[in-house]
Amino acid sequence: MTAEVQEKPRPNTPYERLGGLPVLRDISNRFYDLMDSDAAYAELRAMHAPSLDKMRESLALFLMGWSGGPRDWFEANEGRCMMSVHKPFTITTDVAGQWSSAMTRAIDEVLGESDAPLAQEMSRVLDQMARSMGH
């Protein structure tokens, strides 16, 4: 009698492929660390409160739902989207570019080569989202 080898199901959402909330928290934390420490993001940083703690968790939870995981952020912010959340702020093209640059760096640094195609696609889509807010 031969034992059957059962293959583990392949992750089918970006959330699962990325490694879930712990990895998204790492990306969010790295993003805000870059914003806090790199002068290239000074204009973006100036738009935020002195403490970034609340934003770190909020971004991680947004990314969780956005990438196909639990939708806690969306349920807690019913009827809101990233555009409506950021509507009160003047987001220039430069600020949108700073956001995109910091996010791309954070994704690259956290994910490395573990899933380069997914990292590139995630960066591309988030770049489009950020730049659509700039004017």
Side-chain angles (χ1 to χ4, degrees), residues 34-36 38-46 97-99 101-102 105:
L34 288 166
M35 187 196 309
D36 226 10
D38 191 324
Y41 310 121
E43 190 177 0
L44 176 64
R45 178 61 181 98
Q98 288 176 28
W99 191 97
S101 172
R105 282 180 62 189

Side-chain angles (χ1 to χ4, degrees), residues 70-84:
R71 299 188 53 82
D72 299 7
W73 186 92
F74 294 91
E75 290 168 8
N77 294 281
E78 193 171 332
R80 299 185 81 194
C81 66
M82 276 297 117
M83 297 300 277
S84 65

Side-chain angles (χ1 to χ4, degrees), residues 13-25:
T13 65
Y15 173 77
E16 292 168 322
R17 283 178 56 190
L18 288 164
L21 187 56
V23 172
L24 295 171
R25 278 193 174 119

Side-chain angles (χ1 to χ4, degrees), residues 20-38:
L21 187 56
V23 172
L24 295 171
R25 278 193 174 119
D26 289 347
I27 290 170
S28 179
N29 284 329
R30 184 62 188 139
F31 169 79
Y32 285 111
D33 288 348
L34 288 166
M35 187 196 309
D36 226 10
S37 65
D38 191 324

Side-chain angles (χ1 to χ4, degrees), residues 8-132:
K8 289 184 181 179
R10 294 188 67 187
N12 62 1
T13 65
Y15 173 77
E16 292 168 322
R17 283 178 56 190
L18 288 164
L21 187 56
V23 172
L24 295 171
R25 278 193 174 119
D26 289 347
I27 290 170
S28 179
N29 284 329
R30 184 62 188 139
F31 169 79
Y32 285 111
D33 288 348
L34 288 166
M35 187 196 309
D36 226 10
S37 65
D38 191 324
Y41 310 121
E43 190 177 0
L44 176 64
R45 178 61 181 98
M47 295 176 73
H48 290 78
S51 173
L52 296 171
D53 292 345
K54 182 179 175 187
M55 296 307 302
R56 288 173 187 271
E57 185 65 6
S58 183
L59 178 59
L61 293 176
F62 168 79
L63 292 173
M64 177 175 72
W66 175 81
S67 64
R71 299 188 53 82
D72 299 7
W73 186 92
F74 294 91
E75 290 168 8
N77 294 281
E78 193 171 332
R80 299 185 81 194
C81 66
M82 276 297 117
M83 297 300 277
S84 65
V85 168
H86 290 88
K87 190 173 180 128
F89 302 99
T90 301
I91 299 176
T92 64
T93 303
D94 287 345
V95 167
Q98 288 176 28
W99 191 97
S100 179
S101 172
M103 180 55 70
T104 296
R105 282 180 62 189
I107 290 167
D108 288 347
E109 290 177 20
V110 171
L111 296 180
E113 293 298 315
S114 64
D115 194 335
L118 181 58
Q120 290 169 351
E121 185 62 11
M122 183 177 179
S123 293
R124 185 189 69 74
V125 174
L126 289 171
D127 172 70
Q128 287 180 335
M129 182 179 70
R131 292 182 189 279
S132 72

